[in-house]
Amino acid sequence: MQRLRRSLFTFSKVRGFVFGRLKALVVLRLTCDQVGRYCTIIGRRPRIWNNGTIRVGDGFRIDARSRAIEIIVERGGHLVFGPDSKLNQGVQIYVRDEVLVGRGVGIGSGTHIYDTNSHPVKPGSKTRTSPVVIGDDVWIGMNCIILPGSRIGRGCVIGAGSIVKGELAPGSIFVAPDSRVVSTFEVPDEFRRYPVAVSLIELIRRQLKRR
């Protein structure tokens, strides 16, 4: 009985790998301008409105089992996801100018990223638009807000519920409710937040080997 359960679990995992890769192949190629290898979409299909440019690196992953992600890129806007970056459910990204997401970045559920405030704050003021840059190997917790002009250095950890505005040095640990840096650490050159994506055949081989 235990062997049967393990077999069913393995089959379910393999099926998820296959469908996730196929879904990404179709959806991302229909909505993005450049798509890397080994991309995966698990769960709900993302809602992507692309009137500008979207480039996606190898191993890009979306995990949206209960809530779809939403991406809007206005005319002339540019959105880039580096290799092995991943989005979780409920993420919203709005781009009027430029949002750059580095390699191996994890973005938690419900996080919002904007490069514009979309409308004037007070009479006579102008709409503010400023690029957002998220460095390699950054981990952003759930329900964060990344405001226009933010620049997050490599390896940073952004705690759940934080509001980020301005520049964070590499290796910063930034937490709510005060939205401040509480600690820093050295980020080794060889540090990788997430493993490098591999082919579907290699994924299946590894899964079968674990049985």
Side-chain angles (χ1 to χ4, degrees):
M1 193 66 175
Q2 190 174 2
R3 177 177 291 182
L4 177 61
R5 282 199 296 268
R6 282 202 303 266
S7 297
L8 290 174
F9 178 76
T10 300
F11 173 76
S12 178
K13 291 278 285 187
V14 169
R15 184 182 61 178
F17 292 151
V18 173
F19 285 144
R21 290 284 172 90
L22 289 175
K23 185 184 292 186
L25 186 65
V26 174
V27 173
L28 296 179
R29 290 194 181 278
L30 287 175
T31 56
C32 301
D33 299 275
Q34 182 178 328
V35 180
R37 304 174 300 165
Y38 312 146
C39 297
T40 305
I41 296 176
I42 303 297
R44 296 179 181 270
R45 180 175 63 85
R47 300 167 184 163
I48 300 175
W49 293 270
N50 180 14
N51 294 309
T53 302
I54 300 177
R55 301 203 310 271
V56 174
D58 294 346
F60 175 69
R61 179 183 174 91
I62 292 173
D63 193 336
R65 298 166 200 263
S66 63
R67 285 184 293 160
I69 69 161
E70 295 184 2
I71 295 174
I72 300 174
V73 180
E74 297 283 8
R75 186 179 300 277
H78 303 281
L79 173 61
V80 177
F81 293 103
D84 304 306
S85 54
K86 56 190 297 187
L87 306 181
N88 284 290
Q89 56 198 4
V91 168
Q92 295 185 10
I93 300 175
Y94 184 88
V95 184
R96 184 168 290 177
D97 182 7
E98 187 171 60
V99 172
L100 305 178
V101 179
R103 180 203 65 227
V105 172
I107 302 179
S109 302
T111 288
H112 294 195
I113 301 173
Y114 307 100
D115 72 346
T116 178
N117 60 3
S118 300
H119 52 76
V121 175
K122 57 185 179 180
S125 65
K126 296 182 179 180
T127 300
R128 178 172 180 256
T129 299
S130 184
V132 171
V133 180
I134 301 173
D136 296 342
D137 304 303
V138 169
W139 174 20
I140 301 175
M142 65 187 302
N143 296 326
C144 294
I145 299 176
I146 313 299
L147 294 173
S150 297
R151 301 179 69 89
I152 302 174
R154 179 170 179 254
C156 285
V157 177
I158 311 299
S162 296
I163 300 175
V164 179
K165 180 181 179 182
E167 187 166 350
L168 296 179
S172 297
I173 300 177
F174 185 89
V175 300
D178 297 329
S179 291
R180 63 187 181 91
V181 176
V182 297
S183 181
T184 59
F185 60 92
E186 291 294 327
V187 185
D189 292 338
E190 67 275 10
F191 175 69
R192 295 292 181 270
R193 180 73 64 184
Y194 298 107
V196 175
V198 296
S199 69
L200 182 59
I201 293 174
E202 178 62 19
L203 268 177
I204 295 172
R205 188 190 68 78
R206 291 180 183 180
Q207 187 61 39
L208 293 174
K209 192 175 180 180
R210 291 175 185 169
R211 290 184 58 189

